[in-house]
Amino acid sequence: MGTMDGIIDTVSAVHPLLPLIGLLKSHGKLIMVGAPNKPLELPVFPLLVGRKTVAGSVTGGLKETQEMVNFAAKHNISADIEVIPIDYVNTAMERLAKADVRYRFVIDVANTLKAA
């Protein structure tokens, strides 16, 4: 049984949806904002029996983005990230291939430029 009310899927590569759907509680929502270049396989049966929803949304404009940031700040919502230097990118890609990633990678471009 899933534990999440909702998941925002930002992945823009082909990937399986079943593991994400499995993480959702009954009546949970999977919101797709990434845009893979090939169609994804959508298993329907787990959606039906769990009364789960898959929806899509393009990112909003400046007003919507500001509303989202304000909402996150108000509710103390933050992202779990792993900040990496630019010279770690190849290792990060290897870790992605091995599914050895717990948080989203963020490349520290500012400190990379300062070091150059």
Side-chain angles (χ1 to χ4, degrees):
M1 179 59 99
T3 59
M4 297 186 173
D5 294 315
I7 297 172
I8 299 174
D9 184 349
T10 63
V11 178
S12 293
V14 175
H15 62 286
L17 296 179
L18 185 58
L20 297 176
I21 293 169
L23 292 172
L24 294 170
K25 292 179 181 177
S26 183
H27 299 279
K29 295 174 178 59
L30 174 60
I31 310 301
M32 308 294 298
V33 296
N37 62 352
K38 294 182 180 176
L40 299 177
E41 184 176 318
L42 180 62
V44 176
F45 189 72
L47 297 175
L48 299 174
V49 296
R51 297 181 181 200
K52 300 173 183 181
T53 302
V54 176
S57 177
V58 294
T59 55
L62 188 57
K63 179 180 180 255
E64 291 83 2
T65 302
Q66 187 62 55
E67 288 172 356
M68 183 270 313
V69 169
N70 292 345
F71 178 87
K74 179 180 177 182
H75 297 282
N76 199 27
I77 299 170
S78 63
D80 290 327
I81 61 170
E82 183 174 340
V83 179
I84 62 170
I86 193 73
D87 58 359
Y88 188 79
V89 168
N90 289 335
T91 303
M93 294 302 290
E94 291 169 6
R95 287 182 54 201
L96 281 170
K98 294 180 198 172
D100 178 33
V101 179
R102 185 173 172 106
Y103 306 109
R104 177 172 277 224
F105 287 124
V106 175
I107 302 169
D108 187 355
V109 176
N111 281 328
T112 301
L113 293 176
K114 286 179 188 176

